[in-house]
Amino acid sequence: MRTQVAIIGAGPAGLLLGQLLHKNGIDNVIVERHTGEYVLGRVRAGVIEQVTMDLLDEAGVGERMHRDGLIHDGVQICVDGKRHHLSFKELTGKSVMVYGQTEITKDLMDGRAAVGAPTLYAAYDVALHDIHGGKPRVTFRKDGSTHEIECDFIAGCDGFHGISRKSVPPSAISNYERVYPLGWLGILSETPPVSEELIYVRHPRGFALCSMRSPTRSRYYIQCSLADDIESWPDERFWEELRPRLDDEAREALVTGPSIEKSIAPLRSFVAEPMRFGRLFLAGDAAHIVPPTGAKGLNLAASDVQYLARGLIEHYRDKSDSGLEHYSERALLRVWKAERFSWWMTTMLHRISDNPFDYQLQLADLDYLFRSKAAATAFAENYVGLPY
Ligand SMILES: Cc1cc2nc3c(=O)[nH]c(=O)nc-3n(C[C@H](O)[C@H](O)[C@H](O)COP(=O)(O)OP(=O)(O)OC[C@H]3O[C@@H](n4cnc5c(N)ncnc54)[C@H](O)[C@@H]3O)c2cc1C
């Protein structure tokens, strides 16, 4: 098999890249290790920035998002039972949208199927070859036989545990990492949300987040221990632990119900540099991870894809490699700003240590955020993802 760009991974990064390239007449094949049903079953991100909305429109798959997505002009932050409101609209003139990653993935999959572009699901033992040569190749096993794709470029969009980053010699890559001693236990339930806006909660028992997917579907998270497993968290225990972390109004409004999905996600900050190795380009979680507190992971994957798609389009259409040569540098400028913001939100809102000094620092940080227009504006600019 021969294509121009072989894309590893059919998550949001791989599917969005494939769609943008196809729209611009660039041939591409996606190779994904799981089945389509499995990929669609993963409940993850929910908050998207304008840059992501614009790219989904550009990819021609934004119709359902505009119909069903919920525009959010601000967020609420609850500190030890008292709620504060931060208006993105007033501070920056911008908003974000709540539209689930599962829906985005479905829209992109449908868009790809409609144009007949190939995605090879359930492809095992994917391996990358000759990434520094003129003719890179991807090999894999599918339906009992071995296949090979010859291509001009490989886009490694295969997430944190993928094979692309691991195919680079360790001496050529620098890894920066912080692992937090906690996780997020998340529940999805067919119940109305407690509030029209997201509520981020800082509480002595630990962090919580009241989020949503629609006016009838809620997504809640509570900070949990890394030693916890799902079996030890029946729904009742989850609701009992969430309730005391909320303020009176939210507690009153909380409607509980059976979970339709429940998972634990560890919190990690990670960046691999550079994001280009010969003819291999990393994009999305394959190159960097943020703790979900700042809602940046999917948005960063989209902004990487934007730079990469522009570079590849320039290569084929204008015969210029300037975009590809500057891809890593451009993407990383944005990545590190999002890493800083996500780390800051995480350390400000979670119970990370039992040292009372850290607790007082959090209160000082939050008080400054609520009293200073400059601090609130900086927060809002980072959250809505203004171009930086
Ligand atoms: C609880 C939680 C909440 C989150 N909330 C937000 C939020 O509100 N906003 C936000 O922006 N982000 C959020 N994120 C982060 C977001 O979900 C990720 O950043 C996003 O999924 C990254 O997309 P990706 O395509 O780069 O990687 P992935 O979604 O991980 O996709 C990678 C794909 O590659 C495939 N793959 C892996 N290995 C191989 C291989 N060897 N061969 C072939 N295929 C392979 C995988 O099966 C997968 O389909 C959240 C994450 C979590 C866990």
Side-chain angles (χ1 to χ4, degrees), residues 50-65:
Q50 191 65 49
V51 61
T52 309
M53 291 181 234
D54 292 346
L55 281 171
L56 291 167
D57 280 335
E58 194 180 322
V61 298
E63 196 185 318
R64 218 163 57 94
M65 168 186 78

Side-chain angles (χ1 to χ4, degrees), residues 9 12-13 32-34 42 44-46 101 158 285 295 297-299:
E32 161 63 49
R33 102 170 133 189
H34 288 295
R42 289 186 301 218
R44 285 163 148 199
Q101 179 166 335
D158 47 353
D285 280 15
L298 173 60
N299 293 301

Side-chain angles (χ1 to χ4, degrees), residues 12-230:
L15 287 166
L16 181 58
L17 179 65
Q19 202 65 7
L20 292 172
L21 294 183
H22 182 86
K23 283 244 149 196
N24 285 278
I26 300 170
D27 201 33
N28 63 88
V29 175
I30 300 183
V31 182
E32 161 63 49
R33 102 170 133 189
H34 288 295
T35 62
E37 295 73 48
Y38 180 91
V39 171
L40 262 183
R42 289 186 301 218
V43 179
R44 285 163 148 199
V47 178
I48 55 173
E49 299 171 6
Q50 191 65 49
V51 61
T52 309
M53 291 181 234
D54 292 346
L55 281 171
L56 291 167
D57 280 335
E58 194 180 322
V61 298
E63 196 185 318
R64 218 163 57 94
M65 168 186 78
H66 288 295
R67 198 190 63 210
D68 297 344
L70 307 171
I71 293 288
H72 281 215
D73 292 334
V75 283
Q76 321 240 342
I77 300 184
C78 178
V79 182
D80 302 348
K82 187 167 183 295
R83 243 199 267 177
H84 305 257
H85 178 239
L86 288 171
S87 168
F88 305 144
K89 199 76 184 168
E90 276 170 27
L91 293 161
T92 68
K94 303 271 178 182
S95 307
V96 291
M97 182 184 271
V98 169
Y99 188 62
Q101 179 166 335
T102 317
E103 307 309 320
I104 293 175
T105 307
K106 183 174 182 327
D107 294 343
L108 284 164
M109 278 178 170
D110 291 350
R112 193 165 173 86
V115 295
T119 308
L120 307 172
Y121 287 102
Y124 304 105
D125 298 336
V126 174
L128 280 50
H129 310 271
D130 301 331
I131 55 174
H132 285 284
K135 290 256 171 287
R137 288 171 301 118
V138 175
T139 54
F140 56 93
R141 271 190 318 108
K142 183 170 165 60
D143 302 328
S145 42
T146 303
H147 303 261
E148 181 175 290
I149 303 176
E150 199 185 274
C151 54
D152 300 333
F153 299 102
I154 302 174
C157 302
D158 47 353
F160 182 66
H161 299 287
I163 191 66
S164 299
R165 197 180 66 252
K166 292 180 194 143
S167 307
V168 176
S171 58
I173 197 164
S174 300
N175 295 326
Y176 303 87
E177 185 168 38
R178 168 153 302 173
V179 178
Y180 302 84
L182 50 97
W184 274 21
L185 169 62
I187 245 184
L188 188 68
S189 66
E190 211 57 65
T191 54
V194 286
S195 154
E196 281 184 4
E197 289 181 343
L198 268 65
I199 311 177
Y200 284 89
V201 180
R202 191 258 166 249
H203 191 273
R205 292 179 76 91
F207 170 84
L209 172 61
C210 305
S211 183
M212 68 212 57
R213 290 294 179 267
S214 76
T216 55
R217 185 171 278 199
S218 298
R219 180 78 167 153
Y220 294 101
Y221 297 100
I222 53 171
Q223 174 181 342
C224 66
S225 152
L226 282 178
D228 276 322
D229 56 37
I230 286 295

